[in-house]
Amino acid sequence: MRKVVTTIALVGALTVPLRLFAAEQDRRIEAGPVRAPTNVGIAIAASMMNLVYVPVRLVVTTCTAVAGGTLGFLSLGNVDIAESIWGSTEGQAIITPAILERRERLQFGPRR
């Protein structure tokens, strides 16, 4: 019983700070009325596309994080160089039905 209570307390203590440091959502992404997908097939297609997109996105984001940090370190702390690399990871983390319905634009990289 003591292990269960300790585990619950530990998990609770570790998850509370996550809410405190959560990033605020970009209002431009949420622009427009929220609608349900017109077709269940679109939602299924978005889910299937995310099976490939999310792992690729994770690898690209990890590589650019390492590259930006390395270049920032090698340039003796030049933040502009690091941020120019990190900017290439801006955009949606997942593909949504709204993207497939062309109500939103898929962004992978800096805004143009």
Side-chain angles (χ1 to χ4, degrees):
M1 183 68 175
R2 178 180 267 179
K3 286 184 178 181
V4 172
V5 172
T6 304
T7 303
I8 292 172
L10 183 61
V11 169
L14 292 175
T15 57
V16 168
L18 294 178
R19 288 189 218 135
L20 297 176
F21 296 111
E24 193 169 321
Q25 291 291 322
D26 186 4
R27 295 291 176 203
R28 292 176 288 182
I29 293 173
E30 299 174 7
V34 177
R35 301 186 298 150
T38 57
N39 188 342
V40 174
I42 292 175
I44 293 172
S47 299
M48 292 301 178
M49 291 175 78
N50 281 323
L51 291 175
V52 174
Y53 180 76
V54 171
V56 168
R57 176 80 180 184
L58 178 65
V59 169
V60 169
T61 302
T62 303
C63 290
T64 55
V66 170
T70 303
L71 287 174
F73 176 76
L74 292 175
S75 66
L76 303 175
N78 189 342
V79 179
D80 294 333
I81 292 175
E83 286 181 354
S84 68
I85 301 294
W86 292 332
S88 64
T89 60
E90 292 180 2
Q92 290 94 342
I94 61 170
I95 295 174
T96 62
I99 292 171
L100 296 181
E101 292 176 339
R102 297 180 185 226
R103 290 186 286 130
E104 290 181 11
R105 187 170 164 236
L106 179 63
Q107 179 192 343
F108 195 98
R111 291 185 187 259
R112 294 183 185 148

